[in-house]
Amino acid sequence: MIEREDVGTDGRIAVLRLAHGPVSAMDLELCQAVTEQLRGLVADPARAVVLTGTGSSFSAGVDLRRILDGGPDYVQRFFPALAEMFQVAFELTKPVVAAVNGHAIAGGCVLAATADVTLMADGKGRIGLPEIKVGVPFPRIALEVVRYTVGEVAYRRMILGAATHTPADAHAMGLVDQVVDPAELTARAIEVAQGLADKVPADTFAATKTQLRRECLERTARYADEDATGIALWSRRATDGWMARYLESVTRK
């Protein structure tokens, strides 16, 4: 489900590859596995992290078929696990570089945005937040992650516009820091991660990253009650036909 390789000049850059089905769609098990891996890195000797995918996708976002099959009972377990994964990724105080190797849709986009630096392979991959078309809201932490990454105006446009973007357009809006030749993506991500680990003492990097992200995390805690509304709406969409119609419309394309 997640493949790890330790690389870099000192062997202490942890490359984590999402490898869950053909597009690493986010289900309960993947969210829990990512959370476990990232939590383990807190006390791990790894000095920095590269988060990437396999094949043509970084992650295609939430596995909507699992939502439809599992219904409200599944949503009650999945939604908190999704939010927890985003929060643990955003809170990790070690340097994190996302190497977006292809499509990063909805939750995949949010996970990429939790990184300190986001690289994306040039090509046909798309990145964005079409979640509102599915008829569901994001967990509060996801909103804060995107706001932190692209700013107040752009994040509203991204979420309400529900579009997906080319690598060049994502770079222009600040969602992606660099667009990289696909053949060089992993090597470049490792190079950036190594640079972040080498040029700043680990404790200084951790303290600074905590300062930068504190207000986002405080707002997440302040508005935690919103996630109850999120669970209710995801549960409704799992049974009222809206999500099923959306899934049918995108799978016909």
Side-chain angles (χ1 to χ4, degrees):
M1 195 171 294
I2 300 174
E3 301 168 352
R4 174 170 174 170
E5 180 183 8
D6 294 312
V7 299
T9 57
D10 55 1
R12 294 173 64 188
I13 307 299
V15 178
L16 302 181
R17 292 184 178 87
L18 306 179
H20 186 47
V23 293
S24 290
M26 292 176 175
D27 56 14
L28 177 63
E29 293 77 16
L30 181 60
C31 292
Q32 291 174 333
V34 172
T35 298
E36 181 180 1
Q37 285 278 346
L38 294 177
R39 279 220 172 99
L41 286 167
V42 173
D44 191 277
R47 298 171 59 218
V49 183
V50 171
L51 185 60
T52 191
T54 51
S56 62
S57 291
F58 177 77
S59 172
V62 171
D63 187 339
L64 298 182
R65 294 191 188 281
R66 283 289 302 276
I67 301 290
L68 293 170
D69 291 344
D73 288 343
Y74 178 77
V75 170
Q76 289 284 340
R77 293 179 292 140
F78 171 75
F79 189 94
L82 180 69
E84 183 180 25
M85 177 184 67
F86 293 148
Q87 180 140 352
V88 169
F90 194 63
E91 287 180 328
L92 184 64
T93 54
K94 294 182 179 183
V96 180
V97 177
V100 181
N101 53 297
H103 298 304
I105 308 301
C109 175
V110 176
L111 184 60
T114 63
D116 300 291
V117 179
T118 301
L119 314 181
M120 187 170 184
D122 199 7
K124 296 181 179 179
R126 307 281 290 196
I127 184 169
L129 301 169
E131 207 75 358
I132 198 168
K133 291 182 179 178
V134 185
V136 295
F138 279 106
R140 182 72 201 194
I141 181 62
L143 300 183
E144 295 299 341
V145 166
V146 178
R147 185 209 300 257
Y148 176 84
T149 301
V150 300
E152 192 73 34
V153 175
Y155 111 104
R156 290 200 305 271
R157 290 175 176 168
M158 281 185 66
I159 290 168
L160 294 177
T164 59
H165 309 279
T166 65
D169 288 344
H171 179 256
M173 71 174 62
L175 183 59
V176 168
D177 295 292
Q178 297 176 30
V179 178
V180 182
D181 185 293
E184 300 173 1
L185 178 66
T186 301
R188 178 60 181 149
I190 293 168
E191 179 185 12
V192 172
Q194 188 77 61
L196 290 172
D198 289 346
K199 71 182 180 182
V200 181
D203 51 1
T204 299
F205 185 93
T208 302
K209 184 171 179 176
T210 299
Q211 289 176 314
L212 290 171
R213 300 182 176 214
R214 183 182 302 278
E215 289 184 4
C216 296
L217 292 168
E218 287 176 348
R219 282 194 298 269
T220 298
R222 188 183 313 146
Y223 302 118
D225 60 323
E226 292 179 355
D227 283 357
T229 301
I231 290 172
L233 288 173
W234 281 65
S235 296
R236 188 178 303 166
R237 296 292 92 83
T239 57
D240 69 0
W242 183 287
M243 186 180 292
R245 288 191 296 272
Y246 171 82
L247 183 59
E248 183 181 1
S249 72
V250 296
T251 53
R252 283 201 308 262
K253 293 180 180 179

